[in-house]
Coordinates of all heavy atoms in Angstrom, one line a residue:
M196 N 102.8 114.2 112.7 CA 102.3 113.0 113.2 C 103.2 111.8 112.8 O 103.7 111.8 111.7 CB 100.9 112.7 112.6 CG 100.1 111.6 113.3 SD 98.4 111.6 112.6 CE 98.1 109.9 112.9
E197 N 103.3 110.9 113.7 CA 104.2 109.8 113.4 C 103.5 108.7 112.5 O 102.3 108.6 112.5 CB 104.6 109.1 114.7 CG 105.7 109.8 115.5 CD 106.1 109.0 116.7 OE1 106.1 107.8 116.7 OE2 106.5 109.7 117.7
R198 N 104.3 107.9 111.9 CA 103.8 106.7 111.2 C 103.1 105.8 112.2 O 103.7 105.5 113.2 CB 104.9 106.0 110.5 CG 105.5 106.7 109.3 CD 106.7 105.9 108.8 NE 107.0 106.1 107.4 CZ 107.8 105.3 106.7 NH1 108.4 104.3 107.3 NH2 108.0 105.5 105.5
L199 N 102.0 105.3 111.8 CA 101.3 104.3 112.7 C 101.9 102.9 112.5 O 102.5 102.6 111.4 CB 99.8 104.3 112.3 CG 99.1 105.6 112.6 CD1 97.6 105.5 112.1 CD2 99.2 106.1 114.0
S200 N 101.7 102.1 113.5 CA 102.2 100.7 113.4 C 101.1 99.7 113.4 O 101.3 98.5 113.3 CB 103.2 100.4 114.5 OG 102.6 100.6 115.7
E201 N 99.9 100.2 113.5 CA 98.7 99.3 113.6 C 97.5 99.9 113.0 O 97.3 101.1 113.1 CB 98.5 98.8 115.0 CG 97.6 97.7 115.2 CD 97.7 97.0 116.5 OE1 98.6 97.4 117.3 OE2 96.9 96.1 116.8
L202 N 96.6 99.1 112.4 CA 95.3 99.6 112.0 C 94.2 98.8 112.6 O 94.3 97.6 112.8 CB 95.2 99.4 110.5 CG 95.9 100.4 109.6 CD1 95.8 100.0 108.1 CD2 95.5 101.8 109.8
Q203 N 93.2 99.5 113.0 CA 92.0 98.8 113.6 C 90.9 98.7 112.5 O 90.5 99.7 112.0 CB 91.5 99.6 114.8 CG 90.3 99.0 115.4 CD 89.6 99.9 116.4 OE1 90.1 101.0 116.7 NE2 88.5 99.5 116.9
P204 N 90.5 97.5 112.1 CA 89.5 97.3 111.1 C 88.1 97.6 111.7 O 87.8 97.2 112.8 CB 89.6 95.8 110.7 CG 90.3 95.1 111.8 CD 91.1 96.1 112.6
I205 N 87.4 98.4 110.9 CA 86.0 98.7 111.2 C 85.2 98.2 110.0 O 85.2 98.7 108.9 CB 85.7 100.2 111.3 CG1 86.7 100.9 112.3 CG2 84.3 100.5 111.8 CD1 86.6 100.6 113.7
F206 N 84.4 97.1 110.3 CA 83.5 96.6 109.2 C 82.2 97.2 109.2 O 81.5 97.3 110.2 CB 83.4 95.0 109.4 CG 84.7 94.3 109.3 CD1 85.4 93.9 110.3 CD2 85.1 94.0 108.0 CE1 86.7 93.3 110.2 CE2 86.3 93.3 107.8 CZ 87.1 93.0 108.9
I207 N 81.9 97.8 108.1 CA 80.7 98.7 108.0 C 80.2 98.6 106.6 O 81.0 98.5 105.6 CB 81.1 100.1 108.4 CG1 79.9 101.0 108.7 CG2 82.1 100.7 107.5 CD1 80.3 102.3 109.3
D208 N 78.9 98.6 106.3 CA 78.3 98.5 105.0 C 78.6 99.7 104.2 O 79.1 99.7 103.0 CB 76.8 98.2 105.0 CG 76.5 96.8 105.3 OD1 77.4 96.0 105.3 OD2 75.3 96.5 105.5
T209 N 78.4 100.9 104.8 CA 78.5 102.2 104.0 C 79.7 102.9 104.7 O 79.7 103.2 105.9 CB 77.2 103.0 104.2 OG1 76.1 102.2 103.7 CG2 77.3 104.3 103.4
L210 N 80.7 103.2 103.9 CA 81.9 103.9 104.3 C 81.5 105.3 104.8 O 80.7 106.0 104.1 CB 82.9 103.9 103.3 CG 83.4 102.5 102.8 CD1 84.5 102.7 101.7 CD2 84.0 101.7 104.0
P211 N 82.2 105.8 105.8 CA 81.9 107.2 106.3 C 82.5 108.2 105.3 O 83.3 107.9 104.4 CB 82.7 107.2 107.6 CG 83.6 106.1 107.6 CD 83.2 105.1 106.7
E212 N 82.0 109.4 105.4 CA 82.6 110.6 104.7 C 84.0 110.7 105.0 O 84.5 110.4 106.1 CB 81.8 111.8 105.0 CG 80.3 111.8 104.7 CD 80.1 111.8 103.2 OE1 80.8 112.5 102.5 OE2 79.2 111.0 102.8
N213 N 84.8 111.3 104.1 CA 86.2 111.5 104.3 C 86.5 112.3 105.6 O 87.4 111.9 106.4 CB 86.9 112.2 103.1 CG 86.9 111.3 102.0 OD1 86.6 110.1 102.0 ND2 87.3 111.8 100.8
A214 N 85.7 113.3 105.9 CA 85.9 114.1 107.1 C 85.7 113.4 108.4 O 86.2 113.9 109.4 CB 85.0 115.4 107.0
A215 N 85.0 112.3 108.3 CA 84.7 111.5 109.5 C 85.7 110.4 109.8 O 85.6 109.7 110.8 CB 83.3 110.9 109.5
L216 N 86.7 110.2 108.9 CA 87.6 109.2 109.0 C 88.6 109.5 110.2 O 89.0 110.6 110.4 CB 88.5 109.0 107.8 CG 87.8 108.6 106.5 CD1 88.7 108.6 105.3 CD2 87.1 107.3 106.7
E217 N 88.9 108.5 111.0 CA 89.8 108.6 112.2 C 91.1 108.0 111.9 O 91.1 106.8 111.3 CB 89.2 108.1 113.5 CG 88.0 108.8 113.9 CD 87.4 108.2 115.2 OE1 88.1 107.5 116.0 OE2 86.2 108.4 115.4
P218 N 92.2 108.6 112.2 CA 93.5 107.9 112.0 C 93.6 106.6 112.8 O 93.0 106.5 113.8 CB 94.5 108.9 112.5 CG 93.8 109.9 113.3 CD 92.3 109.9 112.9
G219 N 94.3 105.6 112.2 CA 94.5 104.3 112.8 C 93.3 103.4 112.6 O 93.4 102.3 113.1
K220 N 92.3 103.8 111.8 CA 91.2 102.9 111.6 C 91.1 102.7 110.0 O 91.2 103.6 109.3 CB 89.9 103.5 112.1 CG 89.9 103.5 113.6 CD 88.5 104.0 114.2 CE 88.7 104.1 115.7 NZ 87.5 104.7 116.3
I221 N 90.8 101.5 109.7 CA 90.5 101.2 108.3 C 89.0 100.7 108.2 O 88.7 99.8 108.9 CB 91.5 100.1 107.7 CG1 91.1 99.8 106.2 CG2 91.6 98.9 108.5 CD1 92.2 99.1 105.4
Y222 N 88.3 101.4 107.4 CA 86.9 101.2 107.3 C 86.6 100.3 106.1 O 87.1 100.6 105.0 CB 86.1 102.5 107.1 CG 86.3 103.4 108.3 CD1 87.5 104.3 108.3 CD2 85.4 103.5 109.3 CE1 87.7 105.1 109.4 CE2 85.7 104.4 110.4 CZ 86.8 105.2 110.4 OH 87.0 106.0 111.5
I223 N 86.0 99.1 106.3 CA 85.9 98.1 105.3 C 84.5 97.8 105.0 O 83.8 97.4 106.0 CB 86.7 96.8 105.7 CG1 88.2 97.1 106.0 CG2 86.5 95.7 104.7 CD1 88.9 96.0 106.7
S224 N 84.1 97.9 103.7 CA 82.7 97.5 103.4 C 82.8 96.2 102.5 O 83.3 96.2 101.4 CB 82.0 98.6 102.5 OG 80.8 98.1 102.0
R225 N 82.4 95.1 103.2 CA 82.4 93.9 102.4 C 81.3 93.9 101.3 O 81.5 93.3 100.2 CB 82.1 92.7 103.3 CG 83.2 92.3 104.2 CD 83.0 90.9 104.7 NE 84.1 90.5 105.6 CZ 84.0 90.6 106.9 NH1 82.9 91.1 107.5 NH2 85.0 90.1 107.7
K226 N 80.2 94.6 101.7 CA 79.1 94.7 100.7 C 79.6 95.4 99.4 O 79.2 95.0 98.3 CB 78.0 95.6 101.4 CG 76.8 95.7 100.7 CD 75.8 96.5 101.5 CE 74.5 96.7 100.8 NZ 73.6 97.7 101.5
H227 N 80.4 96.4 99.5 CA 80.8 97.1 98.3 C 82.3 96.8 97.9 O 82.8 97.4 97.0 CB 80.7 98.6 98.5 CG 79.3 99.1 98.8 ND1 78.3 98.9 97.8 CD2 78.7 99.5 99.9 CE1 77.1 99.3 98.4 NE2 77.3 99.7 99.6
N228 N 82.9 95.9 98.6 CA 84.3 95.4 98.3 C 85.3 96.6 98.2 O 86.1 96.7 97.3 CB 84.3 94.7 96.9 CG 84.3 93.2 97.0 OD1 84.8 92.7 98.1 ND2 83.8 92.6 96.0
V229 N 85.2 97.4 99.2 CA 86.1 98.6 99.2 C 86.4 99.0 100.7 O 85.8 98.6 101.6 CB 85.4 99.8 98.5 CG1 84.2 100.3 99.3 CG2 86.3 100.9 98.1
A230 N 87.5 99.6 100.8 CA 88.0 100.1 102.1 C 88.5 101.5 102.0 O 89.0 102.0 100.9 CB 89.0 99.2 102.8
K231 N 88.5 102.2 103.1 CA 89.0 103.6 103.1 C 89.7 103.9 104.4 O 89.3 103.4 105.4 CB 87.7 104.5 103.0 CG 87.9 106.0 102.6 CD 86.8 106.5 101.8 CE 85.8 107.2 102.7 NZ 84.8 108.1 102.0
L232 N 90.8 104.6 104.3 CA 91.5 105.0 105.5 C 92.3 106.2 105.3 O 92.6 106.6 104.1 CB 92.4 103.8 105.9 CG 93.7 103.6 105.1 CD1 94.7 102.8 105.9 CD2 93.4 102.8 103.8
L233 N 92.7 106.9 106.4 CA 93.6 108.0 106.3 C 95.0 107.4 106.2 O 95.3 106.4 106.9 CB 93.5 108.9 107.5 CG 92.3 109.7 107.7 CD1 92.3 110.4 109.1 CD2 92.2 110.8 106.6
C234 N 95.8 107.9 105.3 CA 97.1 107.4 105.0 C 97.8 107.3 106.4 O 97.9 108.2 107.2 CB 97.9 108.3 104.1 SG 99.6 107.7 103.8
P235 N 98.4 106.1 106.7 CA 98.9 105.8 108.1 C 100.2 106.5 108.4 O 100.7 106.4 109.5 CB 99.0 104.3 108.2 CG 99.1 103.8 106.8 CD 98.3 104.8 105.9
D236 N 100.7 107.3 107.5 CA 101.9 108.1 107.8 C 101.5 109.5 108.3 O 102.4 110.3 108.6 CB 103.0 108.2 106.7 CG 102.5 109.1 105.6 OD1 101.4 109.6 105.6 OD2 103.3 109.3 104.7
G237 N 100.2 109.7 108.4 CA 99.8 111.0 109.0 C 99.7 112.2 108.1 O 99.5 113.3 108.5
C238 N 99.8 111.9 106.7 CA 99.8 113.1 105.8 C 98.4 113.6 105.5 O 98.3 114.7 105.0 CB 100.5 112.6 104.5 SG 99.5 111.5 103.6
G239 N 97.4 112.9 105.9 CA 96.0 113.3 105.7 C 95.4 112.9 104.4 O 94.2 113.1 104.2
T240 N 96.2 112.2 103.6 CA 95.6 111.7 102.3 C 94.6 110.6 102.6 O 94.8 109.8 103.5 CB 96.7 111.1 101.4 OG1 97.7 112.1 101.2 CG2 96.2 110.5 100.1
V241 N 93.5 110.6 101.9 CA 92.5 109.5 102.0 C 92.8 108.5 101.0 O 92.9 108.7 99.8 CB 91.0 110.0 101.8 CG1 90.0 108.9 101.8 CG2 90.7 111.1 102.9
S242 N 93.1 107.2 101.5 CA 93.3 106.1 100.6 C 92.1 105.3 100.4 O 91.4 105.0 101.4 CB 94.4 105.2 101.2 OG 95.6 105.9 101.3
V243 N 91.8 104.9 99.2 CA 90.7 104.0 98.9 C 91.2 102.7 98.3 O 92.0 102.8 97.4 CB 89.7 104.7 97.9 CG1 88.6 103.7 97.6 CG2 89.2 106.0 98.5
L244 N 90.9 101.6 98.9 CA 91.3 100.3 98.4 C 90.2 99.5 97.8 O 89.1 99.3 98.5 CB 91.9 99.5 99.6 CG 93.0 100.1 100.4 CD1 93.5 99.2 101.5 CD2 94.2 100.5 99.5
D245 N 90.4 99.1 96.6 CA 89.3 98.4 95.9 C 89.6 96.9 96.0 O 90.8 96.5 95.6 CB 89.3 98.8 94.4 CG 88.3 98.1 93.6 OD1 87.5 97.3 94.1 OD2 88.2 98.4 92.4
F246 N 88.7 96.1 96.5 CA 88.9 94.7 96.7 C 88.2 93.9 95.5 O 87.9 92.7 95.7 CB 88.4 94.2 98.0 CG 89.2 94.8 99.2 CD1 88.4 95.5 100.1 CD2 90.5 94.7 99.3 CE1 89.0 96.1 101.2 CE2 91.2 95.3 100.4 CZ 90.4 96.0 101.4
G247 N 87.9 94.6 94.5 CA 87.3 93.9 93.3 C 88.3 92.9 92.7 O 89.4 92.7 93.2
R248 N 87.9 92.4 91.6 CA 88.7 91.3 91.1 C 90.1 91.6 90.7 O 91.0 90.8 90.9 CB 87.9 90.9 89.7 CG 87.9 89.4 89.6 CD 87.8 89.0 88.2 NE 86.4 88.8 87.8 CZ 86.0 88.6 86.6 NH1 86.9 88.5 85.6 NH2 84.8 88.4 86.3
E249 N 90.3 92.9 90.3 CA 91.7 93.3 89.9 C 92.4 93.9 91.1 O 93.5 94.4 91.0 CB 91.6 94.3 88.8 CG 90.8 93.8 87.6 CD 91.7 92.8 86.8 OE1 92.9 93.1 86.6 OE2 91.1 91.9 86.4
G250 N 91.7 94.0 92.2 CA 92.3 94.9 93.3 C 93.0 94.0 94.4 O 93.5 92.9 94.1
W251 N 93.1 94.6 95.5 CA 93.8 94.0 96.6 C 92.9 92.8 97.2 O 91.7 92.7 97.0 CB 94.0 95.0 97.8 CG 95.1 95.9 97.6 CD1 96.4 95.7 97.8 CD2 95.0 97.2 97.0 NE1 97.1 96.8 97.5 CE2 96.3 97.7 97.0 CE3 93.9 98.0 96.5 CZ2 96.6 99.1 96.5 CZ3 94.2 99.3 96.0 CH2 95.5 99.8 96.0
K252 N 93.7 91.8 97.8 CA 93.0 90.7 98.5 C 93.0 91.0 99.9 O 94.0 91.3 100.6 CB 93.8 89.4 98.2 CG 93.8 89.0 96.7 CD 92.5 88.4 96.3 CE 92.4 88.1 94.8 NZ 92.2 89.2 94.0
L253 N 91.8 90.9 100.5 CA 91.6 91.1 101.9 C 91.3 89.7 102.6 O 90.4 89.0 102.1 CB 90.4 92.0 102.2 CG 90.0 92.2 103.6 CD1 91.0 93.0 104.4 CD2 88.6 92.8 103.7
T254 N 92.0 89.4 103.6 CA 91.7 88.2 104.4 C 91.5 88.6 105.8 O 92.2 89.6 106.3 CB 92.7 87.0 104.2 OG1 94.0 87.6 104.5 CG2 92.7 86.5 102.8
E255 N 90.7 87.9 106.5 CA 90.4 88.3 107.9 C 90.3 87.0 108.8 O 89.7 86.0 108.3 CB 89.1 89.0 107.9 CG 88.8 89.6 109.3 CD 87.4 89.2 109.8 OE1 86.5 88.9 109.0 OE2 87.3 89.0 111.0
S256 N 90.9 87.0 109.9 CA 90.6 86.0 110.9 C 90.7 86.6 112.3 O 91.6 87.3 112.6 CB 91.6 84.8 110.7 OG 92.8 85.1 111.3
D257 N 89.7 86.2 113.1 CA 89.6 86.7 114.5 C 89.8 88.2 114.5 O 90.4 88.8 115.4 CB 90.7 86.1 115.4 CG 90.4 84.6 115.6 OD1 89.2 84.2 115.6 OD2 91.4 83.9 115.9
G258 N 89.2 88.9 113.6 CA 89.2 90.4 113.7 C 90.5 91.0 113.2 O 90.6 92.2 113.3
K259 N 91.4 90.1 112.7 CA 92.7 90.7 112.2 C 92.7 90.5 110.7 O 92.3 89.5 110.2 CB 93.9 89.8 112.8 CG 93.8 89.7 114.3 CD 94.9 90.6 114.9 CE 94.9 90.3 116.4 NZ 95.7 91.3 117.1
I260 N 93.2 91.6 110.1 CA 93.1 91.6 108.6 C 94.5 91.5 108.0 O 95.5 92.0 108.6 CB 92.4 92.9 108.1 CG1 93.1 94.2 108.6 CG2 90.9 92.8 108.5 CD1 92.7 95.4 107.8
M261 N 94.5 91.0 106.8 CA 95.7 91.0 106.0 C 95.3 91.5 104.6 O 94.2 91.2 104.1 CB 96.3 89.6 105.8 CG 96.6 88.9 107.1 SD 98.1 88.0 107.1 CE 97.6 86.5 106.4
I262 N 96.1 92.3 104.1 CA 95.9 92.9 102.7 C 97.1 92.6 101.8 O 98.2 93.0 102.2 CB 95.6 94.4 102.8 CG1 94.4 94.7 103.6 CG2 95.4 95.0 101.4 CD1 94.1 96.2 104.0
H263 N 96.8 92.1 100.7 CA 97.9 91.8 99.7 C 97.5 92.3 98.3 O 96.3 92.1 98.0 CB 98.3 90.3 99.7 CG 99.3 90.0 100.8 ND1 100.6 90.1 100.6 CD2 99.1 89.6 102.1 CE1 101.3 89.8 101.7 NE2 100.3 89.5 102.7
P264 N 98.3 92.7 97.5 CA 99.8 93.0 97.8 C 100.0 94.2 98.6 O 99.0 94.7 99.3 CB 100.3 93.2 96.4 CG 99.2 93.7 95.5 CD 98.0 93.0 96.1
S265 N 101.2 94.8 98.6 CA 101.4 95.9 99.5 C 100.6 97.1 98.9 O 100.2 97.2 97.8 CB 102.9 96.2 99.5 OG 103.3 96.6 98.2
I266 N 100.5 98.1 99.8 CA 99.7 99.3 99.5 C 100.8 100.5 99.2 O 101.6 100.7 100.1 CB 98.8 99.7 100.6 CG1 97.7 98.6 100.8 CG2 98.1 101.0 100.3 CD1 97.1 98.6 102.2
L267 N 100.7 101.0 98.0 CA 101.5 102.2 97.7 C 100.5 103.3 97.5 O 99.8 103.3 96.5 CB 102.4 101.9 96.5 CG 103.1 103.1 96.0 CD1 104.1 103.7 97.0 CD2 103.9 102.8 94.6
E268 N 100.6 104.3 98.3 CA 99.7 105.5 98.1 C 100.4 106.6 97.4 O 101.2 107.3 97.9 CB 99.2 106.0 99.5 CG 98.2 107.1 99.5 CD 97.2 106.9 98.4 OE1 96.2 106.1 98.7 OE2 97.2 107.5 97.3
T269 N 100.1 106.6 96.1 CA 100.8 107.5 95.2 C 100.4 109.0 95.4 O 101.1 109.9 95.0 CB 100.6 107.1 93.7 OG1 99.2 107.0 93.4 CG2 101.2 105.8 93.4
A270 N 99.2 109.2 96.0 CA 98.7 110.6 96.3 C 99.4 111.1 97.6 O 99.3 112.3 97.8 CB 97.3 110.6 96.4
C271 N 100.1 110.3 98.3 CA 100.7 110.7 99.5 C 102.1 111.4 99.2 O 102.8 110.9 98.4 CB 101.0 109.4 100.3 SG 102.2 109.7 101.7
P272 N 102.3 112.5 99.8 CA 103.5 113.3 99.5 C 104.8 112.5 99.9 O 105.9 112.7 99.3 CB 103.5 114.6 100.4 CG 102.4 114.3 101.4 CD 101.4 113.3 100.8
N273 N 104.7 111.5 100.8 CA 105.8 110.6 101.1 C 105.8 109.3 100.4 O 106.6 108.4 100.7 CB 105.8 110.4 102.6 CG 105.6 111.7 103.4 OD1 106.3 112.7 103.3 ND2 104.5 111.7 104.3
R274 N 104.8 109.2 99.5 CA 104.6 107.9 98.8 C 104.6 106.7 99.8 O 105.5 105.8 99.7 CB 105.6 107.7 97.7 CG 105.4 108.6 96.5 CD 106.5 108.5 95.5 NE 106.3 107.2 94.8 CZ 105.5 107.0 93.8 NH1 104.7 107.9 93.4 NH2 105.4 105.8 93.2
A275 N 103.7 106.8 100.7 CA 103.7 105.7 101.8 C 103.5 104.3 101.1 O 102.7 104.1 100.2 CB 102.4 105.9 102.7
H276 N 104.2 103.4 101.6 CA 104.3 102.0 101.0 C 104.4 101.1 102.2 O 105.3 101.1 103.0 CB 105.5 101.9 100.1 CG 105.4 100.7 99.2 ND1 106.5 100.3 98.5 CD2 104.4 99.8 99.0 CE1 106.2 99.1 97.8 NE2 104.9 98.8 98.1
Y277 N 103.4 100.1 102.3 CA 103.4 99.3 103.5 C 102.5 98.0 103.2 O 101.7 98.0 102.3 CB 102.7 100.1 104.7 CG 101.4 100.7 104.4 CD1 100.2 100.1 104.8 CD2 101.3 101.9 103.8 CE1 98.9 100.6 104.6 CE2 100.0 102.5 103.5 CZ 98.9 101.8 103.9 OH 97.6 102.4 103.6
Y278 N 102.7 97.1 104.1 CA 101.9 95.9 104.1 C 101.0 96.0 105.4 O 101.5 96.6 106.3 CB 102.7 94.6 104.3 CG 103.3 94.0 103.0 CD1 104.7 94.0 102.8 CD2 102.5 93.4 102.1 CE1 105.3 93.5 101.7 CE2 103.1 92.9 100.9 CZ 104.5 92.9 100.8 OH 105.1 92.4 99.6
V279 N 99.9 95.3 105.3 CA 99.1 95.2 106.5 C 98.9 93.7 106.8 O 98.4 92.9 105.9 CB 97.7 95.7 106.4 CG1 96.8 95.5 107.6 CG2 97.7 97.2 106.1
T280 N 99.5 93.3 107.9 CA 99.5 91.8 108.3 C 99.0 91.7 109.7 O 99.7 92.2 110.6 CB 100.9 91.2 108.1 OG1 101.4 91.5 106.8 CG2 101.0 89.8 108.3
F281 N 98.0 91.0 109.9 CA 97.4 90.9 111.2 C 97.2 92.2 111.9 O 97.6 92.4 113.1 CB 98.1 89.8 112.1 CG 98.1 88.5 111.5 CD1 99.2 87.9 111.0 CD2 96.9 87.7 111.5 CE1 99.2 86.6 110.5 CE2 96.9 86.4 111.0 CZ 98.0 85.9 110.5
N282 N 96.7 93.1 111.2 CA 96.5 94.6 111.7 C 97.7 95.4 111.8 O 97.6 96.6 112.1 CB 95.7 94.5 113.0 CG 94.2 94.1 112.8 OD1 93.8 93.7 111.8 ND2 93.5 94.1 114.0
R283 N 98.9 94.8 111.7 CA 100.1 95.5 111.9 C 100.5 96.1 110.6 O 100.4 95.5 109.5 CB 101.3 94.6 112.4 CG 100.9 93.8 113.6 CD 100.9 94.6 114.9 NE 102.1 95.3 115.1 CZ 102.3 96.1 116.2 NH1 101.3 96.4 117.0 NH2 103.4 96.8 116.4
I284 N 101.1 97.3 110.7 CA 101.6 97.9 109.5 C 103.1 97.6 109.4 O 103.8 97.9 110.3 CB 101.4 99.5 109.5 CG1 99.9 99.7 109.5 CG2 102.0 100.1 108.3 CD1 99.5 101.2 109.7
Q285 N 103.4 97.1 108.2 CA 104.9 96.8 108.0 C 105.3 97.8 106.9 O 104.9 97.7 105.8 CB 105.0 95.4 107.6 CG 106.5 94.9 107.5 CD 106.5 93.5 106.9 OE1 105.5 92.8 106.8 NE2 107.8 93.1 106.5
W286 N 106.1 98.8 107.3 CA 106.5 99.8 106.3 C 107.6 99.3 105.4 O 108.5 98.6 105.8 CB 107.1 101.0 107.1 CG 105.9 101.8 107.8 CD1 105.5 101.6 109.1 CD2 105.0 102.7 107.2 NE1 104.4 102.4 109.3 CE2 104.1 103.1 108.2 CE3 104.8 103.2 105.9 CZ2 103.1 104.0 107.9 CZ3 103.8 104.1 105.7 CH2 102.9 104.5 106.7
L287 N 107.5 99.7 104.1 CA 108.5 99.2 103.1 C 109.4 100.4 102.8 O 109.0 101.6 103.0 CB 107.8 98.7 101.9 CG 107.0 97.4 102.2 CD1 106.1 97.0 101.0 CD2 107.9 96.3 102.6
Ligands
ZN425 ZN1 100.8 109.6 103.5

């Protein structure tokens, strides 16, 4: 599978089970300050992002999300590293 260039945010209170995650979608629970997605390089790793006080910052406008700082998925065999800016994935 190729690296993705875009993520579609899905705002949902309760995150889906890992087996129900679809590639190209990031599931975001504002209620629990957490997000989950399949690693966008296609490796199948499930990434969990904590937006708590010490975690990533999520901003949203018009359904487009930005996440800072960059995301480095250390469980990914390719060590995927990227920014999400207005739903676009910028690979590092
Ligand atoms: Zn990966």
Side-chain angles (χ1 to χ4, degrees):
M196 194 175 153
E197 283 183 29
R198 286 173 154 193
L199 299 177
S200 57
E201 191 162 356
L202 287 174
Q203 179 191 355
I205 309 287
F206 294 97
I207 191 168
D208 278 352
T209 303
L210 298 179
E212 297 295 318
N213 289 352
L216 300 175
E217 292 179 27
K220 294 181 180 175
I221 178 167
Y222 302 83
I223 300 165
S224 171
R225 288 199 180 94
K226 189 175 173 186
H227 299 294
N228 259 336
V229 68
K231 198 149 90 162
L232 72 160
L233 289 174
C234 181
D236 75 353
C238 69
T240 301
V241 175
S242 295
V243 177
L244 305 179
D245 180 1
F246 299 122
R248 222 204 266 178
E249 306 285 317
W251 283 273
K252 295 281 174 285
L253 172 75
T254 52
E255 187 236 326
S256 76
D257 289 336
K259 309 254 186 190
I260 58 163
M261 304 221 275
I262 298 172
H263 275 272
S265 63
I266 299 161
L267 171 64
E268 182 46 73
T269 53
C271 168
N273 313 307
R274 291 181 68 82
H276 192 192
Y277 55 97
Y278 280 111
V279 179
T280 308
F281 296 112
N282 292 2
R283 307 289 301 180
I284 297 172
Q285 190 186 347
W286 289 97
L287 296 171

